[in-house]
Amino acid sequence: QTQIAETSPAIFQLPTSVDVYMASGEKENYPIWVNERKQTFRFPAAEKPSLINFDPEKAILAIQESNKSKEELVFQFEHAPSFIDRLESVQKLEPEKEDPVVQALMNKALEDPFWVVQMIALQQVNPDANNTAAFRTIAEKGGHSELRAGAIYKLLESEDAELGTIAARVIEKEKAYPPIAASLTALSETNQEKAIEYATKMKDDKS
């Protein structure tokens, strides 16, 4: 049997809420019930909101679609509370990565507590003086081996003066292959003699 969505009764009764943010960052939370297939909600506001964030706790198990502008996504990254909000922002802002505002956001995302957000940001930023310190930290302390390796390659791309020292430390203490391989690549570009020394030592350790 085929159901027609427009005429069929609602299936779900979903309690949730909406956060309405003003430009100052101040927000009001409005509890709502989603109990129709199509619903419109209206909320009081003294000015045009900078962001309307549906289900801010991300408690509803559903695929949500939104048409947020670049400005709204930047604001969301700065103010909305959840990892999902920040992840949505960096994912949807990827096509705008050359925009200076988005580059600044991606640089900030390199310091996010979640490595997935960091990884997306790392892939989008151009290495420069604004993110070198973040790459150095991630190369040794990042929460995922591919993330640490990516940071090493970014330092190599920027010809960072501390890369040789960092790469040597990574090889000495790292357990995962990707950062070790990245560090050997970096040393082969900056200090071939040291790279051969480490590669020979690693080969001898395995034999």
Side-chain angles (χ1 to χ4, degrees):
Q1 181 180 355
T2 302
Q3 291 189 345
I4 302 173
E6 287 74 12
T7 59
S8 298
I11 299 174
F12 301 107
Q13 304 281 328
L14 302 175
T16 185
S17 66
V18 174
D19 280 345
V20 178
Y21 287 84
M22 297 298 108
S24 63
E26 181 181 352
K27 73 175 180 181
E28 290 288 344
N29 178 264
Y30 297 96
I32 61 172
W33 274 88
V34 179
N35 52 19
E36 299 290 343
R37 290 181 180 271
K38 291 184 178 181
Q39 279 180 272
T40 300
F41 298 95
R42 292 181 172 83
F43 310 103
E47 61 186 71
K48 181 180 178 180
S50 293
L51 175 68
I52 297 174
N53 194 14
F54 174 78
D55 185 27
E57 301 298 325
K58 302 300 180 276
I60 296 178
L61 184 60
I63 297 174
Q64 298 184 23
E65 296 183 5
S66 64
N67 296 309
K68 294 170 184 165
S69 67
K70 179 187 73 176
E71 291 75 18
E72 287 171 325
L73 290 167
V74 170
F75 189 95
Q76 176 173 287
F77 183 90
E78 297 283 353
H79 294 91
S82 80
F83 153 72
I84 298 298
D85 292 319
R86 299 195 302 282
L87 181 62
E88 179 191 23
S89 291
V90 294
Q91 286 177 326
K92 289 187 174 180
L93 286 170
E94 285 185 46
E96 306 274 358
K97 65 181 181 179
E98 298 303 326
D99 184 294
V101 173
V102 175
Q103 274 289 302
L105 181 146
M106 293 294 182
N107 281 332
K108 187 169 184 177
L110 291 172
E111 301 178 3
D112 196 88
F114 291 90
W115 73 265
V116 176
V117 174
Q118 288 182 298
M119 177 65 87
I120 293 172
L122 184 143
Q123 294 168 346
Q124 304 307 317
V125 295
N126 301 313
D128 58 30
N130 294 314
N131 47 41
T132 298
F135 291 145
R136 290 171 180 167
T137 299
I138 293 170
E140 298 190 69
K141 299 179 181 179
H144 191 279
S145 61
E146 293 290 350
L147 176 65
R148 298 193 294 277
I152 293 167
Y153 285 122
K154 286 291 185 178
L155 291 172
L156 179 60
E157 185 180 343
S158 65
E159 300 180 347
D160 180 53
E162 294 187 20
L163 177 56
T165 302
I166 291 171
R169 284 202 301 264
V170 169
I171 293 172
E172 291 285 351
K173 69 177 185 179
E174 183 64 71
K175 305 295 184 185
Y177 174 75
I180 293 173
S183 296
L184 285 173
T185 299
L187 282 179
S188 70
E189 296 282 340
T190 59
N191 189 336
Q192 281 196 340
E193 184 177 340
K194 198 70 173 175
I196 293 171
E197 176 187 330
Y198 276 117
T200 302
K201 181 177 183 297
M202 291 169 66
K203 182 179 179 181
D204 291 342
D205 288 344
K206 290 181 179 179
S207 61

